[in-house]
Amino acid sequence: MRKTKTKSLLTFLACGLLLLTGCSKSSNKSASTSSIKKAASSLSSSNLVKKSSDENKLTLANFNKIKVVEKTGSTPAEVITLFGRNADSLSKATVKKLKATIYTWEGIKGGTNGSNIAVEFANGVAIAKQITGLKVNRAKKITQADYKSLTKNMTQAQVEQKLGKPNGYSVSNYGKTNAVLWLYTSDIKSDTSTSIYVTFQNGKLVAKNANF
């Protein structure tokens, strides 16, 4: 048994889970923060699973191959085969009274310390996935003005043009909710430790959150 989740990972993971329960429909900072903490506290680490291969196939390209669809998403066996090894740990979560299991693989190829990929399965298929700790080379630092310039209905291409590529992605598909969350953690010009979350539905920005 072990508990190795960091606060930042739990927060991002909670955000990904909350996409399934409607957090992406609100841009209210205090309400979003409260919901994130509540979801994070509901996660409980479970048993450690041994690695079966030393070859690192934990890449963004393979992450993108995971199908996240409520009834026809990738199965745990398919994702394990894709990554070439079993998950490092399992966690439990409940989404809309649906019991789910989160498989986590630690240490993505070329990622930062603490990088990982987590996939949430329910009824035998993937309904959410997230990757954190991607290294990004930015032409310039992200400023508070850049963040404030983000407006609703912007496309992902428009957000990327302003902020660059994110350090993490979370994708969820459950019921009528199909959402994508981008996480920015590096090269942010701020006096405090800052993360930026941008949520998209149907390819358009619907919410954003930061702690400048």
Side-chain angles (χ1 to χ4, degrees):
M1 302 286 287
R2 73 172 185 177
K3 294 184 178 181
T4 59
K5 305 294 183 183
T6 63
K7 183 178 179 181
S8 59
L9 170 59
L10 281 174
T11 300
F12 186 47
L13 187 56
C15 262
L17 295 174
L18 283 170
L19 292 178
L20 302 178
T21 58
C23 84
S24 59
K25 296 180 180 179
S26 171
S27 59
N28 182 278
K29 183 175 179 180
S30 60
S32 176
T33 301
S34 176
S35 297
I36 288 171
K37 290 180 179 179
K38 183 177 180 181
S41 66
S42 72
L43 300 177
S44 58
S45 296
S46 184
N47 57 300
L48 175 67
V49 183
K50 294 182 179 180
K51 299 179 182 179
S52 59
S53 172
D54 291 329
E55 182 181 358
N56 192 347
K57 296 182 179 180
L58 302 181
T59 63
L60 179 60
N62 280 340
F63 170 82
N64 289 333
K65 293 177 182 178
I66 301 170
K67 293 188 296 182
V68 177
V69 185
E70 183 181 355
K71 295 182 179 180
T72 59
S74 298
T75 66
E78 289 172 337
V79 177
I80 288 171
T81 299
L82 181 66
F83 292 150
R85 63 179 175 87
N86 290 335
D88 294 297
S89 62
L90 306 180
S91 302
K92 300 295 183 181
T94 300
V95 181
K96 291 186 177 181
K97 298 183 179 180
L98 180 67
K99 293 183 178 180
T101 302
I102 301 167
Y103 288 56
T104 302
W105 288 263
E106 305 287 350
I108 64 175
K109 188 174 182 178
T112 61
N113 290 335
S115 63
N116 68 78
I117 293 175
V119 185
E120 182 182 2
F121 297 94
N123 294 325
V125 298
I127 62 170
K129 64 179 181 178
Q130 60 253 335
I131 183 170
T132 61
L134 294 169
K135 288 185 178 179
V136 179
N137 293 321
R138 305 189 196 285
K140 65 182 184 68
K141 287 193 173 184
I142 301 171
T143 66
Q144 189 171 6
D146 292 327
Y147 171 76
K148 288 183 177 180
S149 72
L150 302 180
T151 58
K152 284 189 176 182
N153 295 319
M154 274 188 170
T155 65
Q156 292 180 356
Q158 288 173 320
V159 172
E160 185 174 326
Q161 186 176 21
K162 288 181 175 293
L163 305 186
K165 292 185 179 297
N167 302 99
Y169 300 86
S170 178
V171 182
S172 60
N173 189 325
Y174 179 75
K176 296 181 180 180
T177 301
N178 188 331
V180 176
L181 176 72
W182 286 9
L183 170 68
Y184 291 85
T185 57
S186 68
D187 298 314
I188 300 175
K189 191 174 182 180
S190 173
D191 294 331
T192 60
S193 178
T194 302
S195 297
I196 296 173
Y197 301 87
V198 184
T199 305
F200 303 90
Q201 283 187 332
N202 300 319
K204 298 294 183 67
L205 189 156
V206 295
K208 63 179 182 178
N209 191 289
N211 57 339
F212 282 99

